[in-house]
Structure formats: structure tokens, C-alpha cells
């Protein structure tokens, strides 16, 4: 169980596959170990855009390092969730030093990105190589862009009746075949041009996105289409792993160790994963004492009973915060350019067949398409809001939704995703401890 890469102990790992099935050996070691180590409070962390164990472990080690000193008398245990997610190589992950922003003049699929795609989408090597070749050659004809769009769709599609097919309801609109976002079902030439134009406008604001957009080129938009389609697949997968995997496992843990208090933490798509675990949590389980979302990359209306733009509909996780025997805390930052600009753009393109040409960056931040990690939980009655400094001085609510503006610390720029990965701060560790009332 000891891990030389980890800064805390006892530490366990839980590895899930794309359909939410957990490594049985790791599960059994956790269920057996929490009792033997007399764990009282178990912190379970799920990563976002990491494609390998080392990246996720590095994040966990850094974020969790302050916990023993902040809660020296607590009987803490730690779990790192590993699930098949990925990042493009021009995007950073939380690390000791910022990753310099490098915007290639011609977006291509480098060796590391191709390898990551093959790891995350096994059996589709031919598709990945065809995509890489088209991005490298950039043929000057519409047919090649249409072929690129077809290949992207082929890369990320899953069997409609498979486990992952049930986790797209909050990312799509009706009438889209095979659980695909509209950006993969329409005119690829127009979609790529729209992405290129929007990225050029974002670039004009000084926000680095990892794509060259001066002047806008349709093939730059094609690169972004592939990136966003991959993100769509990761969002779908995070929901699957959360509900079918982690939620069920928490039920098993409650049966074998009913006195262990569980605290879920998720970053980016990992925040979506731990939130969807609330849907998979068996009835009667009361061991989940807090959930903390760090720069969550899904809709800020996810927990709403009614959507402001459609009062007939509710958020995909409507009322699920009531499954927590404690608060749902959402840390957000206005400096997170990845969630403040590109996320709403991709959300709109996924669910709306109309183009984004002519939209300003500010209009892309519209409420309908916002992310939790940018503006916090929206349209949930009774939600309390704090600035980070005030939250650390006050006693957080014992239940319900809580927004904490973490812009004071989650602000590091100089990277393609802006502040999105800037989460390893002592103050945010204190938030997790306060949310769970870990003494």
C-alpha cells in the first residue's frame, strides 16, 4: 500500500475502466484496509484530464500533502481514483511548476497525443493515424474536412445500448443520433470554421488555447473539433465511472465499514465523476459526509430543479446533493479561461446546430452554457456563497450547496488552460477539511 510517489499514508488506489468496472484486487484491499488502519475520515480524490497514473498520482500527492499537518489528530485515509481520461499534450496538468504556454503554428497530433488517443480509444489505431495525417497535410478541399469530421465521430462513438450510452443526456439535445453531439452530426466544414473563428477571438483577448488562429484557418478549427469531441467522450465516461463504479463501491464500503466518514473531491471532469457517484449511491447510505468540486467541468445548472431557460426541464443531478450527509461545496474561479470561454463554446456547439460566428467572447459566457468551475452552482434555492477568505474564517453550512469563489488562489496563467489546473493550494485543502468537519 505504501507508494513512494505519495506524500500521505495510508493511501489506496481504485482503478476503473471506461464502463465503470473497478479493479477487484484494489477494491478488496481498500475495504479490508480501512478497518485495519482504523480510518475515520476517508478522502477520495478523482482527477480530470490526466492520461496516466503518474500524472494523477502527482496531483494527489501535491494536493493532499498539507492534510496531516492541518488535521494532526484526525485518523485520515486517502484514495486516488484512476479512470481512463486523457489530455492533449499542449495542456498542462497540476504540477510543481507551471507548464509554459506553447501555441504551435500548425496544430498537429504529436507523438504523445497520438499515444494518449490510442490508450483511451483502444482498437482505433487506423482512425488515429488517418486523423493525424489529415491534420498534418491539411488538404485544401471541403471533402477532406468532412472526412475528418467522420473520423472524429468514429473515434469517440460507443454502442448506443452500452453502459456509456446512458450518460449523455445533459450534453445533448433531442434528435441527435447515436448519442452524438451536434458538432459531429452537422456540416464539418462550417463547424471547423466556427471553431477557428471563435478561437481567433479568444486569442485576441490574450487567452492561450493551444491552437494557432491568426489568421483563422479551418484546419485549426478541425484540431479543436477533435479536442472537444474527446472532451465530450471524457464527460460521458466520467458519468459512467461515477454512477456505475464509484457510487456502487461507496455502498460496499458503507456495508463493510459503516463508521468510516467519506469525503469526495473531484477536479475538472473528476468533479463530474464524483457528482455522478451520487446517482449510484445505494439508498440508505449515510456515510458520505462532504463533496468538494474543484474547477468542475460540467453545467452550472446540473443540480437545478428547473432550468431558467427551460422551466420544464431540470438539471441532470437535480436534488442529488441531498444524498450527502453534509454540504456540496463548489470552488470556482473567474480566472479559469478554459471553463470561461472554450467550455461554453463547446457546450453550445454540442447542443445547438446554429453557428457561433459573430459571437463575442462575452456572449460565449452566457448563462445557458456556463460551467460550475467558472461561476459556481446556479439556480439551486438556498445556495450559500462565500469568498475564499471568508469561507476559511466562517463555519461552512452543514448541508446544501455552497459556492466558494477561489479566484484569490486559482489564478495562475501562462498555460493553455489558464488557471484550470491551478488547484494545489493549502487554502483549498482547508476547504475540504472544513466541508467535512474533519478535526
Amino acid at each position: 500500500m505504501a507508494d513512494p510517489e505519495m506524500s500521505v499514508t495510508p493511501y489506496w488506489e481504485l482503478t476503473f475502466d471506461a464502463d465503470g468496472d473497478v479493479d477487484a484486487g484494489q477494491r478488496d484491499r481498500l475495504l479490508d484496509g480501512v478497518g485495519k488502519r482504523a480510518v475515520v475520515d476517508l478522502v477520495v480524490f478523482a482527477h480530470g484530464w490526466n492520461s496516466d497514473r503518474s500524472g494523477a498520482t502527482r496531483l494527489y500527492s501535491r494536493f493532499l500533502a498539507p492534510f496531516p499537518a492541518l488535521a494532526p489528530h484526525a485518523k485520515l485515509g486517502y484514495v486516488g481514483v484512476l479512470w481512463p481520461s486523457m489530455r492533449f499534450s499542449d495542456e498542462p496538468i497540476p504540477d510543481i511548476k507551471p507548464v509554459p504556454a506553447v501555441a504551435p503554428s500548425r496544430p498537429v497530433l504529436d507523438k504523445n497525443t497520438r499515444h494518449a488517443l490510442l490508450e483511451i480509444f483502444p482498437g482505433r489505431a487506423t482512425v488515429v493515424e488517418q486523423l493525424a495525417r489529415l491534420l498534418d497535410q491539411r488538404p485544401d478541399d471541403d471533402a477532406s474536412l468532412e472526412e475528418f469530421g467522420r473520423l472524429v465521430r468514429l473515434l469517440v462513438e460507443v454502442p448506443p445500448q452500452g453502459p456509456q450510452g446512458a450518460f449523455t443526456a445533459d450534453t445533448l439535445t433531442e434528435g441527435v443520433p447515436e448519442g452524438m453531439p451536434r458538432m459531429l452530426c452537422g456540416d464539418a466544414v462550417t463547424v471547423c470554421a466556427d471553431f477557428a473563428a471563435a478561437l481567433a477571438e479568444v486569442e485576441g483577448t490574450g487567452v492561450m488555447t493551444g491552437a494557432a488562429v491568426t489568421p483563422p484557418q479551418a484546419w485549426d478549427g478541425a484540431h479543436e473539433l477533435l479536442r472537444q469531441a474527446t472532451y465530450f467522450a471524457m464527460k460521458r465516461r466520467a458519468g459512467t465511472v461515477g454512477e456505475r463504479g464509484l457510487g456502487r463501491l461507496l455502498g460496499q464500503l458503507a456495508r463493510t465499514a459503516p463508521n468510516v466518514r467519506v469525503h469526495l473531491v473531484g477536479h475538472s471532469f473528476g468533479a463530474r465523476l464524483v457528482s455522478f457517484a451520487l446517482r449510484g449511491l445505494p439508498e440508505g447510505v449515510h456515510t458520505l459526509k462532504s463533496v468538494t468540486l474543484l474547477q468542475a467541468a460540467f453545467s452550472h445548472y446540473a443540480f437545478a430543479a428547473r432550468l431558467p431557460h427551460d422551466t420544464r426541464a431540470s438539471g441532470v443531478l437535480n436534488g442529488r446533493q441531498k444524498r450527502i450527509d453534509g454540504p456540496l461545496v463548489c470552488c470556482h474561479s473567474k480566472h479559469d479561461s478554459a471553463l470561461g470561454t472554450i467550455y461554453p463554446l463547446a457546450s453550445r456547439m454540442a447542443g445547438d446546430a446554429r453557428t457561433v460566428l459573430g459571437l463575442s467572447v462575452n456572449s460565449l459566457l452566457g448563462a445557458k452554457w456556463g460551467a460550475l468551475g467558472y461561476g459556481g452552482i446556479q439556480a439551486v434555492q438556498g445556495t450559500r456563497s462565500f469568498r475564499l477568505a471568508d469561507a476559511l474564517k466562517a463555519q461552512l453550512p452543514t448541508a446544501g450547496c455552497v459556492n466558494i469563489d477561489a479566484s484569490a488562489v486559482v489564478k495562475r496563467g501562462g498555460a493553455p488552460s489558464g488557471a484550470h489546473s491551478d488547484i494545489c493550494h493549502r487554502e483549498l485543502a482547508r476547504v475540504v477539511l472544513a466541508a467535512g468537519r474533519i478535526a
Side-chain angles (χ1 to χ4, degrees):
M1 181 172 55
D3 189 322
E5 297 184 57
M6 286 305 299
S7 57
V8 293
T9 188
Y11 171 77
W12 295 269
E13 287 182 348
L14 290 174
T15 302
F16 295 89
D17 68 15
D19 291 330
D21 294 323
V22 68
D23 181 289
Q26 292 180 338
R27 175 200 62 204
D28 294 343
R29 284 191 288 275
L30 170 65
L31 297 179
D32 181 61
V34 290
K36 290 182 176 179
R37 298 297 293 265
V39 171
V40 173
D41 289 283
L42 186 68
V43 180
V44 181
F45 201 147
H47 66 78
W49 300 341
N50 296 305
S51 58
D52 55 31
R53 178 183 177 276
S54 63
T57 302
R58 197 158 56 243
L59 166 62
Y60 299 152
S61 182
R62 286 200 65 219
F63 186 87
L64 297 172
F67 278 60
L70 291 172
H73 303 297
K75 295 181 178 179
L76 284 163
Y78 309 89
V79 173
V81 172
L82 302 175
W83 62 286
S85 179
M86 73 161 286
R87 68 183 179 93
F88 276 62
S89 61
D90 59 358
E91 296 174 282
I93 57 176
D95 207 339
I96 296 175
K97 296 180 180 179
V99 179
V102 178
S105 58
R106 283 168 54 103
V108 296
L109 291 187
D110 60 32
K111 180 180 178 180
N112 291 336
T113 301
R114 293 198 302 272
H115 176 74
L117 288 169
L118 292 173
E119 288 286 323
I120 297 304
F121 303 107
R124 298 177 188 177
T126 301
V127 174
V128 171
E129 290 307 313
Q130 289 175 321
L131 288 167
R133 184 168 60 253
L134 283 170
L135 275 177
D136 181 57
Q137 296 175 351
R138 299 161 73 98
D140 188 19
D141 62 90
D142 290 352
S144 295
L145 281 169
E146 291 293 348
E147 173 65 5
F148 187 88
R150 186 190 71 82
L151 290 169
V152 171
R153 176 173 174 167
L154 184 62
L155 179 71
V156 303
E157 69 181 1
V158 295
Q161 303 306 317
Q164 294 185 59
F167 292 89
T168 58
D170 62 323
T171 62
L172 304 171
T173 53
E174 294 181 0
V176 180
E178 301 178 17
M180 280 288 169
R182 286 194 184 277
M183 62 184 173
L184 295 181
C185 299
D187 176 10
V189 176
T190 300
V191 170
C192 291
D194 290 346
F195 268 126
L199 286 168
E201 189 167 355
V202 172
E203 177 75 8
T205 69
V207 178
M208 299 302 295
T209 62
V213 291
T214 307
Q217 299 292 323
W219 279 106
D220 299 334
H223 182 267
E224 188 63 26
L225 173 62
L226 173 59
R227 189 199 307 266
Q228 295 301 336
T230 303
Y231 292 170
F232 165 79
M234 295 306 102
K235 288 177 68 175
R236 177 180 59 200
R237 190 171 291 181
T240 307
V241 174
E243 181 172 337
R244 289 174 50 86
L246 183 58
R248 294 176 181 179
L249 187 142
L250 294 179
Q252 293 176 294
L253 179 62
R255 290 194 298 271
T256 59
N259 295 322
V260 173
R261 305 171 74 248
V262 178
H263 312 276
L264 300 183
V265 184
H267 171 236
S268 188
F269 287 154
R272 179 179 170 91
L273 189 157
V274 300
S275 296
F276 270 73
L278 301 174
R279 294 208 317 190
L281 195 66
E283 292 295 330
V285 172
H286 301 290
T287 54
L288 182 56
K289 300 302 180 181
S290 67
V291 176
T292 303
L293 310 180
L294 304 172
Q295 302 312 116
F298 63 110
S299 172
H300 58 195
Y301 292 138
F303 295 93
R306 292 289 181 271
L307 303 183
H309 53 277
D310 184 358
T311 56
R312 298 167 299 175
S314 59
V316 69
L317 296 174
N318 169 31
R320 296 292 175 171
Q321 69 273 16
K322 297 176 183 177
R323 296 304 321 278
I324 310 168
D325 190 22
L328 170 67
V329 176
C330 177
C331 294
H332 58 93
S333 172
K334 65 183 179 182
H335 303 299
D336 191 335
S337 57
L339 296 183
T341 54
I342 301 303
Y343 176 88
L345 166 63
S347 297
R348 191 179 192 277
M349 294 289 282
D352 193 327
R354 295 174 294 175
T355 72
V356 297
L357 286 175
L359 290 176
S360 68
V361 170
N362 287 334
S363 68
L364 286 175
L365 308 183
K368 184 176 180 181
W369 309 107
L372 283 161
Y374 186 77
I377 297 167
Q378 303 293 321
V380 176
Q381 189 173 6
T383 298
R384 298 280 303 279
S385 296
F386 298 85
R387 292 182 304 175
L388 180 60
D390 296 332
L392 295 177
K393 295 175 183 176
Q395 191 172 52
L396 294 181
T398 58
C401 295
V402 180
N403 284 328
I404 296 180
D405 184 348
S407 301
V409 296
V410 181
K411 60 183 179 181
R412 187 181 68 203
S417 62
H420 186 67
S421 299
D422 186 21
I423 63 168
C424 293
H425 296 281
R426 186 181 180 89
E427 294 88 345
L428 297 184
R430 290 175 60 191
V431 167
V432 174
L433 293 169
R437 280 171 163 65
I438 302 174

